[in-house]
């Protein structure tokens, strides 16, 4: 496995590609309390600055926890493509109409009786401060062939088709 640390636009592109490919993450709050509170959340978007956006109920424990401590950790897994992303960052909660309009998804209606007009709709933006990724350089199929070949022949793989590193926005 090789290491390739990314910065600026390369980091944003990697975060965007991996997070939007996985789409669902474990969203962790209260990072100093064990066990860490976590729940699955669906990503709405990763913007061109690398910020990750979510729709949330403002009365949820997650929102209350963010109001006390804005630090969060997100874990994305796309097992089908051997892609993984860990994002540590600061969360900000938005309740303004323009942000809700901009980030709303019709799928979110399932959680909010009055849709985007529900008074409990909030939008969470996570601004990454530290990110780390694991990916494959050659794609899922070639990686799978390499692993199967190693297993069948009894050899070990050097995992040279893998890449990991920091993604610093």
């Amino acid at each position: 496995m090789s290491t390739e640390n990314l910065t600026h636009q390369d980091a944003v592109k990697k975060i965007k590609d991996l997070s939007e490919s996985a789409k669902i993450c474990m969203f962790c709050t209260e990072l100093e309390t064990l066990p860490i509170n976590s729940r699955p959340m669906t990503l709405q978007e990763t913007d061109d600055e690398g910020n990750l956006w979510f729709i949330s109920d403002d009365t949820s424990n997650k929102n209350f926890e963010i109001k006390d401590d804005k630090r969060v950790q997100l874990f994305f897994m796309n097992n089908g493509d051997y892609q993984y992303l860990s994002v540590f960052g600061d969360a900000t909660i938005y309740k303004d109409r323009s942000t809700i309009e901009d980030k709303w998804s019709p799928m979110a209606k399932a959680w909010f009786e009055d849709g985007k007009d529900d008074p409990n709709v909030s939008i969470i933006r996570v601004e990454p401060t530290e990110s780390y990724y694991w990916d494959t350089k050659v794609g899922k199929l070639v990686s799978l062939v390499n692993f199967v070949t190693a297993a069948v022949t009894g050899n070990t793989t050097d995992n040279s088709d893998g890449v990991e590193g920091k993604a610093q926005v």
Side-chain angles (χ1 to χ4, degrees), residues 73-101:
Q73 182 82 44
L74 312 176
F75 297 104
F76 291 90
M77 294 178 13
N78 184 353
N79 288 333
D81 288 328
Y82 308 125
Q83 298 172 325
Y84 308 92
L85 175 66
S86 171
V87 175
F88 175 79
D90 295 327
T92 304
I93 299 171
Y94 295 84
K95 293 280 296 170
D96 64 281
R97 194 87 237 134
S98 64
T99 304
I100 292 170
E101 288 285 337

Side-chain angles (χ1 to χ4, degrees), residues 2-164:
S2 63
T3 300
E4 186 177 332
N5 294 322
L6 305 173
T7 58
H8 309 298
Q9 288 304 49
D10 291 333
V12 168
K13 182 178 182 334
K14 182 61 76 173
I15 291 169
K16 185 174 182 65
D17 290 348
L18 296 184
S19 64
E20 290 184 350
S21 175
K23 201 64 172 163
I24 296 175
C25 71
M26 290 305 292
F27 192 111
C28 306
T29 54
E30 290 191 327
L31 303 180
E32 292 187 12
T33 303
L34 295 178
I36 293 172
N37 289 330
S38 63
R39 72 284 292 157
M41 291 285 294
T42 300
L43 176 73
Q44 293 304 306
E45 158 189 31
T46 301
D47 66 25
D48 293 336
E49 286 82 45
N51 298 306
L52 301 105
W53 295 86
F54 301 85
I55 298 174
S56 179
D57 188 315
D58 200 42
T59 64
S60 70
N61 287 340
K62 163 185 24 42
N63 282 46
F64 289 121
E65 292 160 2
I66 289 170
K67 289 172 186 173
D68 286 339
D69 183 353
K70 65 182 181 175
R71 297 172 302 158
V72 298
Q73 182 82 44
L74 312 176
F75 297 104
F76 291 90
M77 294 178 13
N78 184 353
N79 288 333
D81 288 328
Y82 308 125
Q83 298 172 325
Y84 308 92
L85 175 66
S86 171
V87 175
F88 175 79
D90 295 327
T92 304
I93 299 171
Y94 295 84
K95 293 280 296 170
D96 64 281
R97 194 87 237 134
S98 64
T99 304
I100 292 170
E101 288 285 337
D102 184 49
K103 303 302 179 190
W104 181 256
S105 163
M107 293 299 291
K109 172 97 171 81
W111 286 275
F112 297 98
E113 186 175 324
D114 296 324
K116 61 184 167 186
D117 296 320
D118 191 301
N120 293 327
V121 172
S122 70
I123 306 295
I124 298 174
R125 176 187 62 131
V126 175
E127 181 179 357
T129 55
E130 291 184 34
S131 300
Y132 202 87
Y133 73 95
W134 297 263
D135 199 358
T136 175
K137 294 186 277 188
V138 294
K140 172 184 168 182
L141 184 58
V142 174
S143 288
L144 183 60
V145 169
N146 288 343
F147 282 112
V148 169
T149 300
V152 169
T153 63
N155 295 326
T156 58
T157 179
D158 64 0
N159 203 18
S160 61
D161 56 347
V163 61
E164 65 177 300

